[in-house]
Amino acid sequence: MSEIPLTSSVSKGCFVFKSASKKRKRHVGVGGYLVDDSDENGSDRFRICQKLWETVQTNTEVIQDQLNKKVLDSLAEFIKKHGLGCSSDVWRQRGRETPTAALMLGVNVPDHAMTFRSLCNLLQDSVTPFVVSVHAKECAAVKLLIQKVLEQLMGRGVSVDEEQEDDTALLQRTQCTISALCQWYKTVTKKCTQVFPQRTESLTNSDLPQSLPVVVIFKDFEAFNSQVLQDFILICRWDLCSEMCYSSIKFLPFIFIFGIATSPSAIQHRLPHSVSSLLCIEVFHSLSCTQHLASVFDKLILNSQFPFKLSSRVIQVLVGIFLYHDFSVQNFVKGLQFSMLEHFKSQPLSMLCCQKQEALLSAKTLSKKNVERIRHLPSFMRYVETQEPQEQVRLLTNDEHVKEVCQKLLKNLHKYHKNYYPILQCLHSLTSSLPKFPLGKHIRELHVSCIEKNLWETEEYDSALQLLRILAKDELVVALRKCAEILKSTKILQNVLQQLEDFIGRLEALEGVSSEDSSGNGILSGKMEYQKTDLFQLQKTLLEKESRRTKRMNPFEVLRSQVIEFIDSLVREYLTPAELQPLNEVCYYSSSGVLRQRLNVTPRTSIQAALSHPFYYLQNESLKTDAGTISSAAPDLCIVYKLHLECGRLINLYDWLEAFLTVMSAAEDQDTNSEECGKYDSLKHARFIQAVSEMEFLGFIKSTKQKTDHVARLTWGGC
Amino acid sequence: MKIHICLTGIKTIILDCNNISQYSVFLINSALMNRRDIMSAVNPDQYSYPSVFIYGHRATGKSHVVLSIMKDLELPHASVDCVECVSSGLLFHQVLSAFFGPDAAALLPRCPSLSDFVRLYKQMSSNSPATQTRYIILDRAERMRDMDFSLLPALLRLQELVNDNVTVILLSEIVWEKFRPNTGCFEPLLFHFPDYSKGKSLVQILSWDHHPSYTPELYASYINILLGVFFSVCRDLRELRHLAVLNFSKFCEPLEKGEAKESDIHKLWKNIEPHLQRAMQTVYLREVSSVQWEQQQMDEKEATTLRVLSAHAHIELPYYSKFLLIAAYLASFNPARTDRRFFLKSHGKIRKTNFLKKHEKTSNHLLGPKPFPLDRLMAIFYSVVDSRVAPTASVFSQISSLVTLQLLSQVGHDDQLDSPKYKCSVSLDFILAISRCVCVCVRLLDLLALSLVIQSQVVRQERSLFTAVSNLHLL
């Protein structure tokens, strides 16, 4: 197949052809990298990681689709309502207004791409084949915008029937007008009605002339030049005059969709009244990104089916980036992907981080090296210490035994996860309705504090329990019911569920009894009159009760404290920190420092670190210096940088040069006792100039006209 | 001159054209009457006047009249909308294809210049000489000023250039004085389309599209009520027609229910007046789309208040973006001299008497946002935000994303790398809303209050001024 590629050029010359085989080579490479690795199970880890990533991807896509379904459906409905079955008469009645949907998407612009993709697909499948989406950066001028619209539309039309391909390929720029589009539209719609007669029948039951709308999606409305938008809307408008008089009858049922990141008032800020009066705007809201994050979090992190786990610090870093910086769920998922890659790359034992059966199987066939690695895991060492001395010896010497124990521990770990999440959800549902949210509003906060430390030792947990202890009966029953629902849906922890239902039953049975009690035993239990409804009253009575210990509690209170104790015991049993679990290192990725360094980069600090401590990056022994001194062995740039730190706002170039020469010659003094020490040297001068211009390039100094032979310093501190 | 024919043919036009143009034709008639002396000087055998300039506000029937005349008299003409012509090449293309067919237009080279156009035009017109004057109608001619510098002067005397009986008619919303190039040019014949007056013409024109099931008198009284509400803010005929159609069903409601007769004008007025007032605040400003407005009328539920566009002013922003925006606002509206006082804990003593210079005492809000360098923004940001923030790349990228969201705007493009300058382009209300939901620390609120107290006195006056200005703009 050695075929000489053809060019469209008629002239002789050299042409660059990118070889097609390049990509294939690359693919072979992945295996190659893994084989080179000293580790024998690198490819296994790669496979597991790959598989996990695929599940992450499909899950996030499913979540996105579910969340966007409502808004996308209503959008499609809007377009159907306005576009289909509308003859030109209806449009004329409508005045000259173009139907416009303002789609509010939130400020996380990169995340919009996925929404628009599914919107395009939905519209093309269900409403109209004529969907165009344009991006602001492609459309700096009206000409380009029209060209883009035409290209996308006509290109798509060609794909319907292939005879016309040659004609449209020769689409000249001069013909890039809306009237050309009108001509094209007329011919295509005619064909469409012939091609899909059954479709048109289903869509329009009247005998009005069928008109499929042309949907133009402006992906990032804010970024568009307002003049371009105005002109485009003016050109596309449906005008009585133009219908009547212009040579080419303009009738194109346009529908616009504005993807807006800020607020709908952006439309009015961007467009003058004369233009916005041509639009008939309806607003659609998509789900907020925090809700999106919560569902992604539920699906990927609070899920025992997903073997890869994040430690509390890592979660904090990822969530922090989300909340403080970008609001982008996609970035969050990317962060998750990155930590997955890091984990599987850096932790050889991560090959056990997979589904239970698979993990047990690979635990059976652990290599000698890996057994040794397990012995060195801190959590395993802690486990060994708790064993009897005989067992300890066996664990440290017998490989087979370690493998068996390892299987047992893995089973335990899986069991721990299985029990952990339902109980976490129960606790969250109990505490999320408390005033001031002592354990956090979102389940992720509760999760972070649970896996970080012993939850029951925290103050927040105490205050939450205090608040739970004063819950009224009906509130308590409702909360317990919710917990029972959660446990029912998971189908594990049946005994807990049993107990919970038992409590609910007893609480409800109390209904009659408690009222009798309060009336009958009223005298016995002192003056206490129990009221269920008022929280404040309850708290007061509770405090009173605290002061008078002798008083007897009524049956409800007894039961309530039993319930709370039961919940407390559940928390203590199941919500233990993950770090205490043996072999948690297999599943948990915990190096938050690396993650922060990679995902939340600080370019300026790294440049400064490189300049002030060149050893950090170059790893050259001769560069190791004490703080404060300037080594002459360092690169020129570093010397110049360190010298400039000692200067004020304006730096005298000559003084700087002198200092530089002094540092340089100090080195020479040690080497050779040269006589030209301190003398003007053109080579050194050149080196200095180069270093200074590099400093300017890096943005530390800039030339100034305030004083001759001086440069201005642009940064402060960082010594 | 062919406009003669227009004059003689007015009767036929009145019969043919639809209602709006009728009145406008009267107008052009009277305008032409004033020019009768010029016209009588022109011999019909001679070439017509090379260029005509017609101006008047929006929706006064300029293009409608001209195009109807062209159509009804079947004059050879090429009508081009200048907004659509993104390059002069498109204009030439459209003109040539209208006069000589698409084949002639195809002969234009890829990026045609004016001389290409003239050459082709000459060639074509020599093949098919004009029996009548050819007209080139350029709608929205104000766009021509943005095109090639020589295009407008050349088109004004196109007749001389191509040596053919051709007239260029320019239609525009602005006066000819704004067109005249520095170097001077051929002066076209000027026509003015005056605005419709309230009493006579608007009522007349609007009454033409009365509803068939009601009497014209009723519709006329409806139009009178409508104009009473809207005339002060809007004189655009199209917009008024649109509003009339939208609200007519509401007007007729008492009639349909049998609560009032057609003669009970007062009762009908009472019914419709508050409704129209509401329409002015919502539909007219496009806060509510006309479809939603109609639906609301059908639902008959007055209680359901429609969510207007500007009601969704709240924007969810990441935590640091909010602080960046607040910092930008402070940097934009506070004089740089006062930074030390507001943002340093141990600022030096500043004598109160001449703390603010005289020109600074006028509200900074009246002067608008001032540009500030990135360094100042970051310095204020660090002093405003309550925790220690590392100068990460994502903090800086948030600035640029604020720029793309148009909450900040970048000023000047000369020094992008070293010291870019920004302006804050959000309002005080917006900033207050943001700082209210972000302020955990009291210090920031104090700061805002401190820096705003200087400006706040004037803010109220200023708002009324803004509304006045916007009203003026509408007029």
Side-chain angles (χ1 to χ4, degrees):
Chain A
M1 284 290 285
S2 60
E3 193 182 321
I4 298 166
L6 295 168
T7 59
S8 56
S9 171
V10 287
S11 60
K12 264 189 190 175
C14 283
F15 298 98
V16 177
F17 294 103
K18 289 206 171 142
S19 66
S21 59
K22 216 170 192 179
K23 216 159 195 187
R24 237 175 289 139
K25 258 183 202 165
R26 191 94 198 184
H27 271 287
V28 175
V30 175
Y33 288 126
L34 293 168
V35 170
D36 290 345
D37 213 345
S38 56
D39 231 307
E40 61 269 33
N41 46 31
S43 53
D44 284 341
R45 271 149 50 196
F46 179 71
R47 185 178 46 77
I48 295 169
C49 183
Q50 207 73 336
K51 221 168 99 185
L52 279 180
W53 172 236
E54 272 160 27
T55 58
V56 169
Q57 253 181 330
T58 50
N59 275 329
T60 44
E61 271 164 30
V62 166
I63 289 169
Q64 172 109 20
D65 285 348
Q66 280 171 353
L67 293 179
N68 282 332
K69 195 173 184 321
K70 214 177 128 199
V71 63
L72 291 188
D73 282 350
S74 58
L75 249 177
E77 200 52 46
F78 167 82
I79 287 165
K80 266 183 203 161
K81 190 177 78 188
H82 281 282
L84 292 177
C86 279
S87 72
S88 54
D89 293 336
V90 181
W91 283 71
R92 191 180 304 143
Q93 255 178 28
R94 178 87 300 124
R96 305 147 296 133
E97 292 185 334
T98 312
T100 306
L103 182 58
M104 314 308 302
L105 291 163
V107 293
N108 45 337
V109 180
D111 280 16
H112 299 175
M114 230 159 132
T115 318
F116 281 121
R117 211 179 309 135
S118 43
L119 176 64
C120 275
N121 290 339
L122 179 75
L123 291 181
Q124 271 167 8
D125 290 346
S126 65
V127 189
T128 167
F130 310 123
V131 181
V132 184
S133 55
V134 285
H135 226 273
K137 66 179 171 205
E138 307 160 338
C139 310
V142 194
K143 188 157 70 172
L144 295 173
L145 178 55
I146 294 177
Q147 196 192 357
K148 204 86 208 166
V149 170
L150 258 68
E151 259 173 26
Q152 288 193 31
L153 274 178
M154 297 189 166
R156 197 152 295 157
V158 165
S159 68
V160 173
D161 62 343
E162 278 138 39
E163 303 150 4
Q164 279 200 330
E165 201 165 16
D166 294 338
D167 297 334
T168 42
L170 293 170
L171 182 79
Q172 277 181 3
R173 245 174 208 232
T174 44
Q175 290 171 340
C176 272
T177 56
I178 293 294
S179 44
L181 186 63
C182 290
Q183 293 297 330
W184 171 84
Y185 180 78
K186 262 191 224 159
T187 56
V188 167
T189 40
K190 253 181 222 158
K191 262 177 208 154
C192 265
T193 43
Q194 284 161 9
V195 174
F196 314 107
Q198 74 283 4
R199 188 172 165 187
T200 46
E201 274 164 33
S202 65
L203 292 172
T204 54
N205 38 18
S206 60
D207 50 354
L208 291 167
Q210 155 85 24
S211 62
L212 290 165
V214 177
V215 181
V216 184
I217 302 174
F218 297 89
K219 280 181 178 171
D220 38 357
F221 180 78
E222 274 87 357
F224 271 93
N225 183 349
S226 66
Q227 194 57 47
V228 170
L229 270 177
Q230 285 170 32
D231 284 357
F232 187 72
I233 293 169
L234 278 177
I235 292 170
C236 293
R237 83 203 181 283
W238 163 239
D239 204 322
L240 280 174
C241 252
S242 51
E243 179 217 16
M244 199 177 79
C245 305
Y246 283 137
S247 49
S248 59
I249 292 175
K250 277 210 270 187
F251 177 64
L252 265 178
F254 273 107
I255 292 180
F256 299 140
I257 296 177
F258 294 155
I260 297 177
T262 53
S263 72
S265 47
I267 298 176
Q268 285 165 339
H269 290 164
R270 206 57 40 77
L271 303 174
H273 181 251
S274 59
V275 176
S276 68
S277 68
L278 298 173
L279 302 175
C280 175
I281 304 162
E282 239 171 271
V283 180
F284 295 86
H285 284 271
S286 76
L287 219 61
S288 79
C289 51
T290 40
Q291 277 168 295
H292 191 178
L293 179 76
S295 44
V296 168
F297 209 86
D298 274 348
K299 192 86 185 177
L300 294 181
I301 292 172
L302 303 178
N303 187 352
S304 56
Q305 298 297 313
F306 190 66
F308 175 70
K309 308 282 173 200
L310 300 174
S311 80
S312 58
R313 304 301 297 275
V314 172
I315 292 178
Q316 277 168 343
V317 169
L318 287 179
V319 172
I321 291 176
F322 176 83
L323 288 179
Y324 286 124
H325 292 297
D326 55 9
F327 268 181
S328 165
V329 177
Q330 223 154 53
N331 266 0
F332 180 82
V333 175
K334 282 265 145 52
L336 182 68
Q337 185 190 14
F338 179 79
S339 40
M340 237 158 72
L341 287 173
E342 267 293 311
H343 179 67
F344 282 100
K345 187 186 138 249
S346 58
Q347 174 62 272
L349 290 172
S350 59
M351 64 178 204
L352 297 175
C353 176
C354 47
Q355 299 302 331
K356 193 174 161 189
Q357 294 307 322
E358 220 176 317
L360 291 180
L361 209 70
S362 41
K364 257 183 219 162
T365 55
L366 276 176
S367 67
K368 203 169 164 55
K369 229 182 197 170
N370 281 336
V371 169
E372 206 50 46
R373 281 191 184 118
I374 285 181
R375 284 195 185 120
H376 282 100
L377 287 181
S379 65
F380 190 78
M381 273 148 78
R382 238 175 286 138
Y383 169 77
V384 170
E385 275 162 26
T386 58
Q387 302 301 310
E388 288 165 19
Q390 214 175 354
E391 177 72 8
Q392 279 185 6
V393 173
R394 279 187 74 197
L395 279 173
L396 292 178
T397 51
N398 190 342
D399 281 4
E400 285 308 309
H401 186 64
V402 170
K403 282 180 195 171
E404 270 164 37
V405 170
C406 182
Q407 288 176 43
K408 197 186 84 191
L409 290 177
L410 278 175
K411 269 183 199 163
N412 283 346
L413 192 64
H414 279 273
K415 202 174 161 205
Y416 160 76
H417 284 140
K418 254 186 188 163
N419 295 335
Y420 175 88
Y421 294 109
I423 298 292
L424 185 76
Q425 281 170 350
C426 287
L427 183 64
H428 177 68
S429 76
L430 277 174
T431 55
S432 60
S433 55
L434 294 177
K436 284 190 185 171
F437 310 106
L439 289 178
K441 211 172 182 178
H442 302 283
I443 195 165
R444 57 168 183 261
E445 295 163 36
L446 185 62
H447 174 65
V448 165
S449 45
C450 276
I451 55 173
E452 195 175 25
K453 51 194 178 275
N454 287 336
L455 183 70
W456 53 90
E457 284 166 8
T458 58
E459 273 177 37
E460 292 84 13
Y461 180 73
D462 284 343
S463 62
L465 277 196
Q466 284 288 344
L467 287 169
L468 280 177
R469 280 208 183 91
I470 52 168
L471 273 187
K473 198 182 80 178
D474 42 355
E475 286 174 304
L476 191 62
V477 170
V478 168
L480 290 180
R481 280 250 164 80
K482 256 191 233 160
C483 294
E485 285 295 311
I486 292 166
L487 290 179
K488 245 180 224 163
S489 60
T490 52
K491 294 188 185 101
I492 41 169
L493 294 168
Q494 287 303 321
N495 55 333
V496 176
L497 178 63
Q498 195 63 45
Q499 272 172 295
L500 211 61
E501 276 174 345
D502 186 36
F503 274 122
I504 295 172
R506 277 164 69 189
L507 274 170
E508 278 176 342
L510 214 61
E511 186 74 69
V513 184
S514 68
S515 55
E516 274 169 35
D517 266 7
S518 57
S519 57
N521 302 354
I523 311 136
L524 272 178
S525 60
K527 297 117 231 161
M528 208 210 68
E529 208 74 271
Y530 182 66
Q531 285 174 334
K532 289 177 273 182
T533 44
D534 194 350
L535 252 181
F536 179 70
Q537 279 288 327
L538 274 175
Q539 202 165 9
K540 223 166 74 182
T541 46
L542 204 81
L543 284 173
E544 268 175 30
K545 220 169 16 165
E546 285 291 311
S547 58
R548 278 179 260 154
R549 263 287 151 103
T550 49
K551 205 196 306 157
R552 268 177 52 189
M553 293 193 285
N554 69 8
F556 166 64
E557 284 171 311
V558 174
L559 196 56
R560 186 172 56 188
S561 61
Q562 277 175 4
V563 170
I564 305 301
E565 242 140 64
F566 172 65
I567 291 166
D568 190 33
S569 71
L570 283 183
V571 170
R572 280 165 201 265
E573 189 179 350
Y574 294 110
L575 296 189
T576 49
E579 278 164 38
L580 298 183
Q581 298 297 318
L583 292 189
N584 71 68
E585 288 91 341
V586 168
C587 297
Y588 281 82
Y589 176 70
S590 57
S591 39
S592 59
V594 175
L595 202 64
R596 185 175 290 135
Q597 212 178 2
R598 297 281 190 277
L599 295 185
N600 207 0
V601 287
T602 53
R604 198 175 136 188
T605 359
S606 33
I607 288 178
Q608 277 175 343
L611 291 177
S612 46
H613 307 286
F615 174 73
Y616 183 79
Y617 286 107
L618 295 177
Q619 298 288 325
N620 187 344
E621 284 301 317
S622 66
L623 295 177
K624 261 188 178 170
T625 53
D626 306 325
T629 59
I630 302 174
S631 153
S632 57
D636 295 346
L637 183 60
C638 296
I639 299 172
V640 168
Y641 171 76
K642 279 193 175 171
L643 289 171
H644 112 288
L645 288 179
E646 293 160 10
C647 301
R649 204 179 75 78
L650 289 176
I651 306 170
N652 186 334
L653 274 175
Y654 187 74
D655 291 351
W656 203 3
L657 173 63
E658 285 291 304
F660 179 73
L661 289 179
T662 316
V663 172
M664 299 296 283
S665 56
E668 275 168 22
D669 276 346
Q670 288 160 8
D671 292 351
T672 56
N673 210 353
S674 65
E675 56 273 9
E676 56 200 292
C677 147
K679 254 191 190 170
Y680 191 77
D681 184 349
S682 62
L683 180 68
K684 280 176 191 162
H685 193 192
R687 279 168 68 182
F688 174 74
I689 289 172
Q690 190 178 9
V692 168
S693 59
E694 275 170 4
M695 286 281 285
E696 190 171 358
F697 175 70
L698 288 175
F700 285 98
I701 54 167
K702 75 171 186 181
S703 57
T704 175
K705 281 167 192 160
Q706 286 177 16
K707 229 170 171 184
T708 47
D709 294 341
H710 279 69
V711 287
R713 210 180 139 180
L714 291 171
T715 56
W716 306 103
C719 271
Chain B
M1 176 154 173
K2 279 294 187 288
I3 298 177
H4 268 313
I5 304 173
C6 302
L7 284 169
T8 55
I10 274 175
K11 267 187 195 146
T12 43
I13 299 166
I14 289 174
L15 291 177
D16 290 352
C17 290
N18 81 6
N19 298 328
I20 302 182
S21 68
Q22 221 172 49
Y23 180 72
S24 309
V25 169
F26 278 126
L27 280 180
I28 199 170
N29 187 6
S30 58
L32 287 179
M33 287 300 182
N34 299 336
R35 303 261 174 187
R36 187 164 282 278
D37 47 338
I38 304 173
M39 272 175 281
S40 58
V42 177
N43 192 327
D45 296 334
Q46 283 178 345
Y47 280 6
S48 64
Y49 203 74
S51 48
V52 181
F53 182 84
I54 300 176
Y55 67 101
H57 277 157
R58 244 165 13 113
T60 45
K62 300 178 298 290
S63 37
H64 192 85
V65 167
V66 172
L67 290 172
S68 341
I69 290 171
M70 293 297 153
K71 244 189 154 177
D72 292 332
L73 301 180
E74 289 171 353
L75 301 172
H77 69 280
S79 70
V80 182
D81 192 344
C82 289
V83 181
E84 212 174 306
C85 294
V86 287
S87 65
S88 50
L90 270 178
L91 196 150
F92 302 148
H93 191 276
Q94 287 194 17
V95 170
L96 283 178
S97 69
F99 286 153
F100 310 109
D103 295 340
L107 290 176
L108 275 174
R110 201 167 155 69
C111 292
S113 65
L114 186 66
S115 56
D116 284 328
F117 170 66
V118 169
R119 180 176 53 79
L120 257 178
Y121 191 101
K122 263 186 185 164
Q123 198 183 326
M124 287 296 156
S125 64
S126 63
N127 289 346
S128 56
T131 50
Q132 288 173 299
T133 312
R134 293 187 173 119
Y135 291 95
I136 298 174
I137 301 157
L138 299 171
D139 207 348
R140 272 180 243 267
E142 60 267 16
R143 295 300 176 102
M144 301 265 294
R145 298 179 299 170
D146 304 333
M147 287 190 205
D148 197 9
F149 168 71
S150 60
L151 186 63
L152 185 63
L155 281 179
L156 285 174
R157 50 206 315 164
L158 187 69
Q159 202 173 68
E160 281 173 48
L161 285 173
V162 298
N163 217 353
D164 185 37
N165 191 1
V166 62
T167 294
V168 176
I169 301 179
L170 302 168
L171 304 175
S172 175
E173 284 174 27
I174 51 179
V175 292
W176 170 247
E177 279 68 35
K178 303 269 179 191
F179 278 79
R180 202 175 280 139
N182 292 335
T183 48
C185 65
F186 184 81
E187 289 290 315
L189 202 57
L190 301 185
F191 284 116
H192 181 224
F193 273 53
D195 277 357
Y196 299 113
S197 63
K198 181 191 176 185
K200 271 197 313 193
S201 43
L202 268 181
V203 175
Q204 260 178 330
I205 296 167
L206 285 169
S207 303
W208 265 313
D209 39 25
H210 65 84
H211 204 273
S213 50
Y214 298 96
T215 58
E217 289 78 33
L218 179 78
Y219 198 82
S221 60
Y222 166 65
I223 291 300
N224 265 322
I225 294 170
L226 186 90
L227 284 180
V229 175
F230 282 103
F231 188 70
S232 57
V233 290
C234 171
R235 277 149 209 221
D236 187 339
L237 178 65
R238 294 176 185 178
E239 198 67 4
L240 285 171
R241 274 182 92 196
H242 178 62
L243 288 165
V245 171
L246 271 186
N247 294 308
F248 188 61
S249 61
K250 180 80 181 170
F251 180 74
C252 296
E253 221 174 61
L255 295 175
E256 277 168 12
K257 284 183 187 164
E259 290 167 2
K261 277 179 283 179
E262 287 201 7
S263 52
D264 291 347
I265 296 298
H266 187 69
K267 200 167 185 183
L268 291 174
W269 177 77
K270 275 222 150 166
N271 175 45
I272 194 71
E273 214 270 332
H275 188 73
L276 289 180
Q277 288 289 355
R278 202 142 28 86
M280 184 158 77
Q281 284 156 19
T282 53
V283 182
Y284 171 61
L285 294 175
R286 293 306 191 276
E287 296 265 7
V288 169
S289 75
S290 39
V291 175
Q292 284 172 325
W293 185 253
E294 276 177 348
Q295 264 173 0
Q296 193 205 18
Q297 281 181 348
M298 288 193 192
D299 291 349
E300 288 297 327
K301 274 178 233 151
E302 294 294 315
T304 55
T305 44
L306 281 169
R307 294 198 69 193
V308 295
L309 274 189
S310 52
H312 315 270
H314 178 67
I315 302 174
E316 264 186 57
L317 284 173
Y319 191 70
Y320 288 144
S321 294
K322 286 179 185 170
F323 277 105
L324 280 171
L325 207 54
I326 290 171
Y329 187 82
L330 292 173
S332 232
F333 284 99
N334 281 343
R337 293 189 315 115
T338 58
D339 282 357
R340 177 186 284 272
R341 181 179 150 127
F342 289 144
F343 303 111
L344 277 187
K345 272 173 189 155
S346 55
H347 57 78
K349 269 189 184 170
I350 302 164
R351 266 186 296 155
K352 241 187 180 169
T353 45
N354 58 356
F355 170 56
L356 287 176
K357 284 180 186 162
K358 198 167 187 189
H359 65 91
E360 280 171 350
K361 276 181 186 156
T362 58
S363 165
N364 282 318
H365 282 100
L366 282 179
L367 299 173
K370 284 190 215 51
F372 52 85
L374 178 64
D375 302 343
R376 191 168 161 230
L377 172 71
M378 292 318 287
I380 296 180
F381 170 70
Y382 285 125
S383 80
V384 158
V385 83
D386 47 351
S387 56
R388 231 187 122 253
V389 191
T392 58
S394 34
V395 169
F396 289 104
S397 75
Q398 278 179 63
I399 296 176
S400 54
S401 61
L402 284 175
V403 171
T404 46
L405 294 180
Q406 308 249 333
L407 299 173
L408 297 184
S409 53
Q410 195 157 12
V411 199
H413 297 279
D414 47 340
D415 204 1
Q416 293 274 16
L417 277 179
D418 284 341
S419 53
K421 284 190 169 180
Y422 300 94
K423 259 186 190 177
C424 181
S425 47
V426 293
S427 65
L428 174 65
D429 294 332
F430 187 88
I431 286 294
L432 284 179
I434 278 186
S435 45
R436 222 171 280 136
C437 67
V438 97
C439 270
V440 271
C441 69
V442 192
R443 200 172 105 76
L444 180 58
L445 261 184
D446 285 350
L447 268 177
L448 264 180
L450 235 176
S451 53
L452 293 175
V453 80
I454 313 162
Q455 304 150 2
S456 60
Q457 295 106 356
V458 201
V459 169
R460 203 162 298 138
Q461 301 166 13
E462 198 181 296
R463 270 208 204 118
S464 54
L465 195 80
F466 275 145
T467 47
V469 167
S470 58
N471 282 341
L472 266 181
H473 186 74
L474 287 175
L475 291 177

